[in-house]
Amino acid sequence: MRKAINPGAVLALVLLILIGGCDSVKVTRCFTTGAVASGSAVASEVGSEVFRRGGNAFDAAVAVGFALAVVKPQAGNIGGGGFAVVREGQTGQVAALDFRETAPKAAARDMYLNDSGEVIENLSTVGALSAGVPGTVAGLHALWEKYGTMPWEDLVTIAAELADTGFVVAVSQAEMLSDYYVPLSEFPETKTLLYPAGRPPQAGDRLVLKDLAGTLFLIAAEGPRAFYTGHTADQIVACMEKNGGLITAEDLEEYLPVWRRPVHFSFDSLDVYGMPPPSSGGIILGQMLKLLEPYDHSSFTSRSPEQIHMFCEAARLAYADRAEHLGDPEFYDNPSGLLDSTYLAERRRKLPLETAGVSADVRAGNPLKYESDQTTHFSVCDTDGNMVAITVTLNANFGSRLAVDGAGFLLNSEMDDFAIKPGHPNLWGLVGSEANKIESGKRMLSSMSPTLVLKGDRPFLVLGSRGGSKIITAVAQAIIDCSRFKLPLLEIMSRPRFHHQWLPDVIFFEKGGLTEATRQKLIDKGHEVRERSAYGGLHMIMIDASGLLCAVADPRDEGAVAGY
Ligand code: GLY
């Protein structure tokens, strides 16, 4: 049954959010009806209000997704794409929704190379040519169509009202807008959109996005049609024509999200469901956890040199396979043996237990033998067993930096996630090959890893993160900290993260995250260890045995949890 929200109630919600009432304190909070953990206090509060009005986790997720497009313009979006892994409480069925961007029809393998075959700097990361055909609006609509109970118009209108009235700029967002002032100002449409006063906003200023409000009101009233064939489509095509991009009216009209079978594997006593290709997330997460599963962790502590070493060696092997074997399944036959137990047993023999491996000596395996700051994540669930993990992205912060004139939103720079030249590292330092070459209409490989975990048949974890290539290791560390080290939820979120991705052959760890003794032991094992700034925004919900929904937003993000 569809329940209506009256417009007055929507306005009251917007006022409530603007006046205050948003809790961004980093604690675990538990709820009895529905919970949201996201990178924005305002967006989480929007989801909570949908629960209060009788909506389910899918309704809340749709409203949160559109709200993030307003209050987190650097990552939340309608000009990008994403993935969802969801469980329907009533049937217990888990499904994966792919609303990744596609390469425009006119895209070609060498479009970012000059006549000498060299990569032309910035062409795949900045401006109109870096944008893929956006999928977010179609994706959120497909989710709502299948599982939603409240009127679409009401869910989208909340975000439209937010854009219309404006939102308060948070501290880290003000810093980011200041850092990006010069590069974003190169695009006059973007400067007008994000810097209406002609200078970076201060924390606490209100940012009003009238053009975005207009676009969202249209999407609320007309559905995805407005975006893919209506007024917004015309605006996107005009933007492409003016700025030398490739996306045409036909590309937009033909865009379709795809329901896919999730990647499913067990780890300890848990059932893990991840995103299949064109995300590498589910398979690489599965490879890392399955490679590590047989090893007794009881003599390690979380973040001990032994644990970090073992984890990074598993990551080295898994990311080598990522570079070789994964791409859009409509264009490339992803080997089904990548999670085969015999294949993984063979790979495990290459996992050095004492000393560091050398990435130059590690190549992707041959699973064919066994055939049988940029992105934002949010987690939503309810006590009916509905679970929704969604990660959306523009690729880099603010995507292509190009805003669609008059439509109030930024376009993604997702084309850079293709292997634009074999062996050339993308924005995330990832290399790729034939499997992920650019082809007309193809989806680029991703690391986004929205993930659901069940314990027996019982919902247990909803999680995912931002962080490009580091998303998969962040999610794996959270699951290991939970299952092997039995850490409490807030502790899992606060643990310093570390990362290895085969190439470069380096363990990255968050600033201040390793003791000197641990660092030295890793160096003694032969690892290169490099400190970097904090990363990831992992927003997670844990459902306890009594059904209580406990949520934590990543302390690294200016996010929050909310619920009812
Ligand atoms: N754009 C980052 C990813 O999809 O992995």
Coordinates of all heavy atoms in Angstrom, one line a residue, residues 106-193:
A106 N 29.9 6.8 -28.5 CA 31.0 7.3 -29.3 C 32.3 7.1 -28.7 O 33.4 7.4 -29.3 CB 30.8 8.8 -29.6
A107 N 32.4 6.5 -27.5 CA 33.7 6.2 -26.8 C 34.5 5.2 -27.5 O 33.9 4.3 -28.1 CB 33.4 5.8 -25.3
A108 N 35.8 5.3 -27.5 CA 36.6 4.3 -28.1 C 37.9 4.1 -27.3 O 38.2 4.9 -26.4 CB 37.1 4.9 -29.5
R109 N 38.5 2.9 -27.5 CA 39.5 2.4 -26.6 C 40.7 3.4 -26.4 O 41.1 3.6 -25.3 CB 40.1 1.1 -27.2 CG 41.0 0.4 -26.3 CD 41.8 -0.7 -27.0 NE 42.7 -0.1 -28.0 CZ 43.5 -0.9 -28.8 NH1 43.5 -2.2 -28.7 NH2 44.3 -0.3 -29.6
D110 N 41.1 4.1 -27.4 CA 42.3 5.0 -27.3 C 41.9 6.5 -27.2 O 42.7 7.3 -27.5 CB 43.2 4.8 -28.5 CG 43.8 3.4 -28.5 OD1 43.8 2.7 -27.4 OD2 44.1 2.9 -29.6
M111 N 40.7 6.7 -26.8 CA 40.2 8.1 -26.8 C 41.0 9.1 -25.9 O 40.9 10.3 -26.1 CB 38.7 8.2 -26.5 CG 38.3 7.7 -25.1 SD 36.5 7.7 -24.9 CE 36.2 9.4 -24.4
Y112 N 41.8 8.6 -24.9 CA 42.5 9.4 -24.1 C 44.0 9.4 -24.4 O 44.8 9.9 -23.6 CB 42.3 9.0 -22.6 CG 40.9 9.1 -22.2 CD1 40.1 8.0 -21.9 CD2 40.2 10.4 -22.2 CE1 38.8 8.1 -21.5 CE2 38.9 10.5 -21.8 CZ 38.2 9.4 -21.5 OH 36.8 9.5 -21.2
L113 N 44.4 8.9 -25.6 CA 45.8 8.8 -26.0 C 46.1 9.8 -27.1 O 45.2 10.0 -28.0 CB 46.1 7.4 -26.4 CG 45.8 6.2 -25.4 CD1 46.3 4.9 -26.0 CD2 46.4 6.5 -24.0
N114 N 47.3 10.3 -27.2 CA 47.7 11.1 -28.3 C 48.2 10.3 -29.5 O 48.2 9.0 -29.4 CB 48.7 12.2 -27.9 CG 50.0 11.6 -27.4 OD1 50.3 10.4 -27.7 ND2 50.8 12.4 -26.7
D115 N 48.6 10.9 -30.5 CA 49.0 10.1 -31.7 C 50.2 9.2 -31.4 O 50.4 8.2 -32.1 CB 49.4 11.1 -32.9 CG 48.2 11.8 -33.4 OD1 47.1 11.3 -33.1 OD2 48.3 12.8 -34.1
S116 N 51.0 9.5 -30.4 CA 52.1 8.7 -30.0 C 51.7 7.6 -29.1 O 52.6 6.8 -28.5 CB 53.3 9.5 -29.4 OG 53.4 10.7 -30.0
G117 N 50.5 7.5 -28.7 CA 50.0 6.5 -27.8 C 50.2 6.8 -26.4 O 50.1 6.0 -25.5
E118 N 50.5 8.1 -26.1 CA 50.7 8.5 -24.7 C 49.4 9.1 -24.1 O 48.6 9.6 -24.9 CB 51.8 9.6 -24.6 CG 53.1 9.3 -25.2 CD 53.7 8.1 -24.5 OE1 53.5 7.9 -23.3 OE2 54.4 7.3 -25.2
V119 N 49.2 8.9 -22.8 CA 48.0 9.4 -22.2 C 48.0 10.9 -22.1 O 49.0 11.5 -21.7 CB 47.9 8.8 -20.7 CG1 46.8 9.5 -19.9 CG2 47.8 7.3 -20.8
I120 N 46.9 11.5 -22.6 CA 46.8 13.0 -22.5 C 46.4 13.3 -21.1 O 45.3 12.9 -20.6 CB 45.8 13.5 -23.6 CG1 46.2 13.0 -24.9 CG2 45.7 15.0 -23.5 CD1 45.2 13.3 -26.0
E121 N 47.2 14.1 -20.4 CA 46.9 14.4 -19.0 C 45.5 15.0 -18.8 O 45.1 15.9 -19.5 CB 48.0 15.4 -18.5 CG 48.3 15.2 -17.1 CD 49.4 16.1 -16.6 OE1 50.2 16.6 -17.4 OE2 49.5 16.4 -15.4
N122 N 44.9 14.5 -17.8 CA 43.6 15.1 -17.3 C 42.4 14.8 -18.2 O 41.3 15.1 -17.8 CB 43.7 16.6 -17.0 CG 44.6 16.9 -15.8 OD1 44.8 16.0 -15.0 ND2 45.1 18.1 -15.8
L123 N 42.6 14.3 -19.4 CA 41.4 14.1 -20.3 C 40.4 13.1 -19.7 O 39.2 13.3 -19.9 CB 41.9 13.7 -21.6 CG 41.1 14.1 -22.8 CD1 41.0 15.6 -22.9 CD2 41.7 13.6 -24.1
S124 N 40.9 12.1 -19.0 CA 39.9 11.1 -18.5 C 39.4 11.4 -17.1 O 38.6 10.7 -16.5 CB 40.6 9.7 -18.5 OG 41.6 9.7 -17.5
T125 N 39.9 12.5 -16.5 CA 39.5 12.8 -15.1 C 38.9 14.2 -15.0 O 38.2 14.4 -13.9 CB 40.8 12.9 -14.2 OG1 41.8 13.7 -14.8 CG2 41.4 11.5 -14.1
V126 N 39.0 15.1 -15.9 CA 38.4 16.4 -15.8 C 37.7 16.8 -17.0 O 38.2 16.6 -18.1 CB 39.5 17.5 -15.5 CG1 39.0 18.9 -15.4 CG2 40.3 17.1 -14.2
G127 N 36.5 17.4 -16.9 CA 35.8 18.0 -18.0 C 34.8 17.0 -18.7 O 34.7 15.8 -18.3
A128 N 34.2 17.5 -19.7 CA 33.1 16.8 -20.4 C 33.5 15.4 -20.9 O 32.7 14.4 -20.8 CB 32.5 17.6 -21.5
L129 N 34.7 15.2 -21.4 CA 35.0 13.9 -22.0 C 35.2 12.8 -20.9 O 35.3 11.6 -21.2 CB 36.4 14.0 -22.7 CG 36.3 14.2 -24.2 CD1 37.7 14.1 -24.8 CD2 35.3 13.2 -24.9
S130 N 35.4 13.2 -19.6 CA 35.6 12.2 -18.6 C 34.3 11.6 -18.1 O 34.3 10.7 -17.3 CB 36.4 12.9 -17.4 OG 35.6 13.8 -16.7
A131 N 33.2 12.2 -18.5 CA 31.9 11.7 -17.9 C 31.3 10.5 -18.7 O 31.3 10.5 -19.9 CB 30.9 12.9 -18.0
G132 N 30.8 9.6 -17.9 CA 30.0 8.5 -18.4 C 28.5 8.8 -18.3 O 28.2 9.8 -17.6
V133 N 27.7 8.0 -18.9 CA 26.2 8.3 -18.9 C 25.7 8.0 -17.5 O 25.9 6.8 -17.0 CB 25.5 7.3 -19.9 CG1 24.0 7.6 -19.9 CG2 26.1 7.5 -21.3
P134 N 25.2 8.9 -16.8 CA 24.8 8.8 -15.4 C 23.7 7.7 -15.1 O 22.8 7.6 -15.9 CB 24.3 10.2 -14.9 CG 24.7 11.1 -16.0 CD 24.8 10.3 -17.3
G135 N 23.8 7.0 -14.0 CA 22.9 5.9 -13.7 C 22.1 6.1 -12.4 O 21.1 5.4 -12.1
T136 N 22.4 7.1 -11.6 CA 21.9 7.2 -10.2 C 20.3 7.3 -10.2 O 19.6 6.6 -9.4 CB 22.5 8.3 -9.4 OG1 23.9 8.0 -9.3 CG2 21.9 8.4 -8.0
V137 N 19.8 8.2 -11.0 CA 18.3 8.4 -11.0 C 17.6 7.2 -11.4 O 16.6 6.7 -10.7 CB 18.0 9.6 -11.9 CG1 16.5 9.8 -12.0 CG2 18.6 10.9 -11.4
A138 N 18.0 6.5 -12.5 CA 17.4 5.3 -12.9 C 17.6 4.2 -11.8 O 16.6 3.4 -11.6 CB 18.0 4.8 -14.2
G139 N 18.7 4.2 -11.2 CA 19.0 3.1 -10.2 C 18.1 3.3 -9.0 O 17.4 2.3 -8.5
L140 N 18.0 4.5 -8.4 CA 17.1 4.7 -7.2 C 15.7 4.4 -7.6 O 14.9 3.9 -6.8 CB 17.3 6.1 -6.7 CG 18.7 6.4 -6.1 CD1 18.9 7.8 -5.6 CD2 19.0 5.4 -4.9
H141 N 15.3 4.8 -8.8 CA 13.9 4.5 -9.2 C 13.7 3.0 -9.3 O 12.6 2.5 -8.9 CB 13.6 5.2 -10.6 CG 12.2 5.2 -10.9 ND1 11.6 4.2 -11.8 CD2 11.1 5.9 -10.5 CE1 10.3 4.4 -11.9 NE2 10.0 5.4 -11.2
A142 N 14.6 2.3 -9.9 CA 14.4 0.8 -10.0 C 14.3 0.2 -8.6 O 13.5 -0.8 -8.4 CB 15.6 0.2 -10.7
L143 N 15.1 0.7 -7.7 CA 15.0 0.2 -6.3 C 13.6 0.5 -5.7 O 13.0 -0.4 -5.1 CB 16.1 0.9 -5.4 CG 16.3 0.3 -4.1 CD1 16.9 -1.1 -4.1 CD2 17.3 1.2 -3.3
W144 N 13.1 1.7 -5.9 CA 11.8 2.1 -5.4 C 10.7 1.3 -6.1 O 9.8 0.8 -5.4 CB 11.6 3.6 -5.6 CG 10.2 4.0 -5.4 CD1 9.6 4.3 -4.2 CD2 9.2 4.1 -6.3 NE1 8.3 4.6 -4.3 CE2 8.0 4.5 -5.6 CE3 9.1 4.0 -7.7 CZ2 6.8 4.7 -6.3 CZ3 7.9 4.2 -8.4 CH2 6.7 4.6 -7.6
E145 N 10.8 1.1 -7.4 CA 9.8 0.4 -8.1 C 9.6 -1.1 -7.6 O 8.5 -1.6 -7.5 CB 10.2 0.3 -9.6 CG 9.1 0.3 -10.6 CD 9.6 0.6 -12.0 OE1 10.7 0.2 -12.3 OE2 8.8 1.2 -12.8
K146 N 10.7 -1.7 -7.2 CA 10.7 -3.1 -6.8 C 10.2 -3.2 -5.4 O 9.5 -4.2 -5.0 CB 12.0 -3.7 -7.1 CG 12.0 -5.2 -7.0 CD 13.2 -5.8 -7.7 CE 13.2 -7.3 -7.5 NZ 14.4 -8.0 -8.1
Y147 N 10.7 -2.3 -4.5 CA 10.5 -2.6 -3.1 C 9.8 -1.4 -2.3 O 9.6 -1.6 -1.1 CB 11.9 -2.8 -2.4 CG 12.7 -3.9 -3.0 CD1 13.9 -3.7 -3.6 CD2 12.3 -5.3 -2.8 CE1 14.7 -4.8 -4.1 CE2 13.0 -6.3 -3.2 CZ 14.2 -6.1 -3.9 OH 15.0 -7.1 -4.4
G148 N 9.7 -0.3 -2.9 CA 9.2 0.9 -2.2 C 7.7 0.8 -1.8 O 7.0 0.1 -2.5
T149 N 7.3 1.5 -0.8 CA 5.9 1.5 -0.4 C 5.3 2.9 -0.4 O 4.1 3.1 -0.4 CB 5.7 0.9 1.0 OG1 6.4 1.7 1.9 CG2 6.2 -0.5 1.1
M150 N 6.2 3.9 -0.4 CA 5.7 5.3 -0.3 C 5.7 6.0 -1.7 O 6.5 5.5 -2.5 CB 6.5 6.1 0.7 CG 6.2 5.7 2.1 SD 7.2 6.5 3.4 CE 7.1 8.2 3.0
P151 N 5.0 7.0 -1.9 CA 5.0 7.6 -3.2 C 6.4 8.2 -3.6 O 7.0 8.8 -2.8 CB 4.0 8.8 -3.1 CG 3.1 8.4 -1.9 CD 4.0 7.7 -1.0
W152 N 6.8 7.9 -4.8 CA 8.1 8.3 -5.3 C 8.2 9.8 -5.1 O 9.3 10.4 -4.7 CB 8.2 7.9 -6.8 CG 9.3 8.6 -7.6 CD1 9.1 9.6 -8.5 CD2 10.7 8.2 -7.7 NE1 10.3 10.0 -9.1 CE2 11.3 9.1 -8.6 CE3 11.4 7.3 -7.0 CZ2 12.6 9.0 -8.9 CZ3 12.8 7.2 -7.4 CH2 13.4 8.1 -8.3
E153 N 7.2 10.5 -5.5 CA 7.2 12.0 -5.5 C 7.5 12.5 -4.1 O 8.3 13.5 -4.0 CB 5.8 12.5 -6.0 CG 5.8 14.0 -6.1 CD 4.6 14.5 -6.8 OE1 3.7 13.7 -7.1 OE2 4.5 15.7 -7.1
D154 N 7.0 11.9 -3.1 CA 7.2 12.4 -1.7 C 8.7 12.2 -1.3 O 9.3 13.0 -0.7 CB 6.3 11.7 -0.7 CG 4.9 12.0 -0.9 OD1 4.6 13.0 -1.7 OD2 4.0 11.4 -0.3
L155 N 9.2 11.0 -1.7 CA 10.6 10.7 -1.3 C 11.6 11.7 -2.0 O 12.6 12.1 -1.4 CB 10.9 9.3 -1.7 CG 10.1 8.2 -1.0 CD1 10.3 6.8 -1.5 CD2 10.3 8.3 0.5
V156 N 11.4 12.0 -3.3 CA 12.3 12.9 -4.0 C 12.1 14.3 -3.6 O 13.0 15.1 -3.6 CB 12.2 12.7 -5.5 CG1 13.2 13.5 -6.3 CG2 12.3 11.2 -5.9
T157 N 10.8 14.7 -3.3 CA 10.5 16.0 -2.9 C 11.3 16.5 -1.7 O 11.6 17.7 -1.6 CB 9.0 16.2 -2.7 OG1 8.3 15.9 -4.0 CG2 8.6 17.6 -2.3
I158 N 11.5 15.6 -0.8 CA 12.3 16.0 0.4 C 13.6 16.6 0.0 O 14.0 17.7 0.5 CB 12.5 14.8 1.4 CG1 11.2 14.2 1.8 CG2 13.4 15.2 2.6 CD1 11.3 12.9 2.5
A159 N 14.3 15.9 -0.9 CA 15.6 16.4 -1.4 C 15.4 17.7 -2.2 O 16.3 18.7 -2.0 CB 16.3 15.4 -2.2
A160 N 14.4 17.8 -3.0 CA 14.2 19.0 -3.7 C 14.0 20.2 -2.8 O 14.5 21.3 -3.0 CB 12.9 18.8 -4.7
E161 N 13.2 20.0 -1.7 CA 13.0 21.1 -0.8 C 14.3 21.5 -0.1 O 14.5 22.7 0.2 CB 12.0 20.6 0.3 CG 10.6 20.3 -0.2 CD 9.7 21.5 -0.2 OE1 10.1 22.6 0.0 OE2 8.5 21.3 -0.5
L162 N 15.1 20.5 0.2 CA 16.4 20.8 0.8 C 17.2 21.7 -0.1 O 17.9 22.6 0.4 CB 17.2 19.5 1.0 CG 17.2 18.8 2.4 CD1 18.0 17.5 2.3 CD2 17.9 19.8 3.4
A163 N 17.3 21.3 -1.4 CA 18.1 22.1 -2.3 C 17.5 23.5 -2.4 O 18.2 24.5 -2.5 CB 18.1 21.4 -3.7
D164 N 16.2 23.6 -2.4 CA 15.5 24.9 -2.6 C 15.7 25.8 -1.4 O 15.9 27.0 -1.5 CB 14.0 24.6 -2.7 CG 13.2 25.8 -3.3 OD1 13.7 26.4 -4.3 OD2 12.2 26.1 -2.8
T165 N 15.7 25.3 -0.2 CA 15.8 26.1 1.0 C 17.3 26.3 1.4 O 17.7 27.2 2.0 CB 15.1 25.4 2.2 OG1 14.0 24.6 1.8 CG2 14.7 26.4 3.3
G166 N 18.1 25.3 0.9 CA 19.5 25.4 1.2 C 19.9 24.5 2.4 O 19.0 24.2 3.2
F167 N 21.2 24.3 2.6 CA 21.6 23.5 3.7 C 22.9 24.2 4.3 O 23.6 25.0 3.6 CB 21.9 22.0 3.3 CG 23.0 21.9 2.3 CD1 24.4 21.7 2.7 CD2 22.8 22.1 0.9 CE1 25.4 21.6 1.8 CE2 23.8 22.0 0.0 CZ 25.1 21.8 0.4
V168 N 23.2 23.8 5.6 CA 24.3 24.5 6.3 C 25.6 23.7 5.9 O 25.6 22.5 6.0 CB 24.0 24.4 7.8 CG1 25.2 25.0 8.5 CG2 22.8 25.2 8.1
V169 N 26.6 24.5 5.5 CA 27.8 23.9 5.0 C 28.6 23.4 6.3 O 28.8 24.2 7.2 CB 28.7 24.9 4.2 CG1 30.1 24.4 3.9 CG2 27.9 25.3 3.0
A170 N 29.0 22.1 6.3 CA 29.7 21.6 7.4 C 31.2 22.0 7.4 O 31.7 22.5 6.3 CB 29.6 20.0 7.4
V171 N 31.9 21.7 8.5 CA 33.3 22.2 8.6 C 34.2 21.6 7.5 O 34.9 22.3 6.8 CB 33.8 21.8 10.0 CG1 35.3 22.2 10.1 CG2 33.0 22.5 11.1
S172 N 34.1 20.2 7.4 CA 35.1 19.6 6.4 C 34.7 20.0 5.0 O 35.5 20.1 4.1 CB 35.1 18.1 6.6 OG 33.8 17.6 6.3
Q173 N 33.4 20.2 4.8 CA 32.9 20.5 3.4 C 33.4 21.9 3.1 O 33.8 22.2 1.9 CB 31.4 20.5 3.5 CG 30.7 20.5 2.1 CD 29.3 20.0 2.2 OE1 28.6 20.4 3.2 NE2 28.8 19.3 1.3
A174 N 33.4 22.8 4.0 CA 33.9 24.2 3.8 C 35.3 24.1 3.4 O 35.8 24.8 2.5 CB 33.7 25.1 5.0
E175 N 36.1 23.3 4.1 CA 37.5 23.1 3.8 C 37.7 22.6 2.4 O 38.5 23.1 1.6 CB 38.2 22.2 4.8 CG 38.5 22.8 6.1 CD 38.9 21.7 7.2 OE1 39.1 20.6 6.8 OE2 38.9 22.1 8.4
M176 N 36.9 21.6 2.1 CA 37.0 21.0 0.7 C 36.7 22.0 -0.4 O 37.4 22.1 -1.4 CB 36.1 19.8 0.6 CG 36.3 19.0 -0.7 SD 35.2 17.6 -0.7 CE 36.0 16.5 0.4
L177 N 35.6 22.7 -0.1 CA 35.2 23.7 -1.1 C 36.2 24.8 -1.3 O 36.4 25.4 -2.4 CB 33.8 24.3 -0.8 CG 32.6 23.4 -1.1 CD1 31.3 23.9 -0.3 CD2 32.3 23.3 -2.6
S178 N 36.9 25.1 -0.2 CA 38.0 26.1 -0.3 C 39.2 25.5 -1.1 O 39.7 26.2 -2.0 CB 38.4 26.5 1.2 OG 39.5 27.3 1.1
D179 N 39.5 24.3 -0.7 CA 40.6 23.6 -1.4 C 40.4 23.5 -3.0 O 41.3 23.6 -3.7 CB 40.9 22.2 -0.9 CG 41.4 22.2 0.5 OD1 41.8 23.2 1.0 OD2 41.4 21.1 1.1
Y180 N 39.1 23.3 -3.3 CA 38.8 23.1 -4.7 C 38.4 24.4 -5.4 O 37.9 24.3 -6.6 CB 37.7 22.0 -4.9 CG 38.2 20.6 -4.8 CD1 38.5 20.0 -3.6 CD2 38.5 19.9 -5.9 CE1 39.0 18.7 -3.5 CE2 38.9 18.6 -5.9 CZ 39.2 18.0 -4.7 OH 39.7 16.7 -4.6
Y181 N 38.5 25.5 -4.8 CA 37.9 26.8 -5.3 C 38.6 27.1 -6.7 O 37.9 27.4 -7.7 CB 38.2 27.9 -4.3 CG 37.7 29.2 -4.9 CD1 36.3 29.4 -5.1 CD2 38.5 30.3 -5.2 CE1 35.8 30.6 -5.6 CE2 38.1 31.5 -5.7 CZ 36.7 31.7 -5.9 OH 36.3 32.8 -6.4
V182 N 39.9 27.0 -6.8 CA 40.6 27.3 -8.0 C 40.2 26.3 -9.2 O 39.7 26.7 -10.2 CB 42.1 27.5 -7.8 CG1 42.8 27.7 -9.1 CG2 42.3 28.7 -6.9
P183 N 40.4 25.0 -9.0 CA 40.1 24.1 -10.1 C 38.6 24.1 -10.5 O 38.3 24.0 -11.7 CB 40.5 22.7 -9.6 CG 40.8 22.9 -8.1 CD 41.1 24.3 -7.8
L184 N 37.7 24.2 -9.5 CA 36.3 24.2 -9.8 C 35.9 25.5 -10.5 O 35.0 25.5 -11.4 CB 35.4 24.0 -8.6 CG 35.5 22.6 -8.0 CD1 34.7 22.5 -6.7 CD2 35.0 21.5 -8.9
S185 N 36.5 26.6 -10.2 CA 36.2 27.9 -10.8 C 36.6 28.0 -12.3 O 36.1 28.9 -13.0 CB 36.9 29.0 -10.0 OG 36.4 29.1 -8.7
E186 N 37.4 27.0 -12.7 CA 37.7 27.0 -14.2 C 36.4 26.7 -15.0 O 36.4 26.9 -16.2 CB 38.7 25.9 -14.5 CG 40.1 26.3 -14.1 CD 41.1 25.2 -14.3 OE1 40.9 24.3 -15.1 OE2 42.2 25.2 -13.6
F187 N 35.4 26.1 -14.4 CA 34.2 25.8 -15.1 C 33.1 26.9 -14.6 O 32.7 26.8 -13.4 CB 33.7 24.4 -14.8 CG 34.7 23.4 -15.3 CD1 35.7 22.9 -14.5 CD2 34.5 22.9 -16.6 CE1 36.6 21.9 -15.0 CE2 35.4 22.0 -17.1 CZ 36.4 21.5 -16.3
P188 N 32.7 27.8 -15.4 CA 31.9 28.9 -15.0 C 30.5 28.4 -14.4 O 30.1 28.9 -13.4 CB 31.6 29.7 -16.2 CG 32.6 29.3 -17.2 CD 33.2 28.0 -16.8
E189 N 30.0 27.3 -15.0 CA 28.7 26.8 -14.4 C 28.9 26.2 -13.0 O 28.0 26.4 -12.2 CB 28.2 25.6 -15.3 CG 28.0 25.9 -16.8 CD 29.3 25.8 -17.6 OE1 30.4 25.6 -17.0 OE2 29.2 25.9 -18.9
T190 N 30.1 25.6 -12.8 CA 30.3 25.1 -11.5 C 30.6 26.2 -10.4 O 30.1 26.1 -9.3 CB 31.5 24.1 -11.5 OG1 31.3 23.2 -12.6 CG2 31.7 23.3 -10.2
K191 N 31.3 27.2 -10.9 CA 31.5 28.3 -10.0 C 30.2 29.0 -9.5 O 30.0 29.3 -8.4 CB 32.4 29.4 -10.7 CG 32.9 30.5 -9.7 CD 33.9 31.3 -10.3 CE 34.4 32.4 -9.3 NZ 35.2 33.4 -9.8
T192 N 29.3 29.2 -10.5 CA 28.0 29.8 -10.2 C 27.3 28.9 -9.2 O 26.6 29.4 -8.3 CB 27.2 30.0 -11.5 OG1 28.0 30.7 -12.4 CG2 25.9 30.7 -11.2
L193 N 27.4 27.6 -9.4 CA 26.6 26.6 -8.6 C 27.1 26.6 -7.2 O 26.3 26.7 -6.2 CB 26.7 25.2 -9.3 CG 26.0 24.1 -8.5 CD1 24.5 24.2 -8.6 CD2 26.5 22.7 -9.1

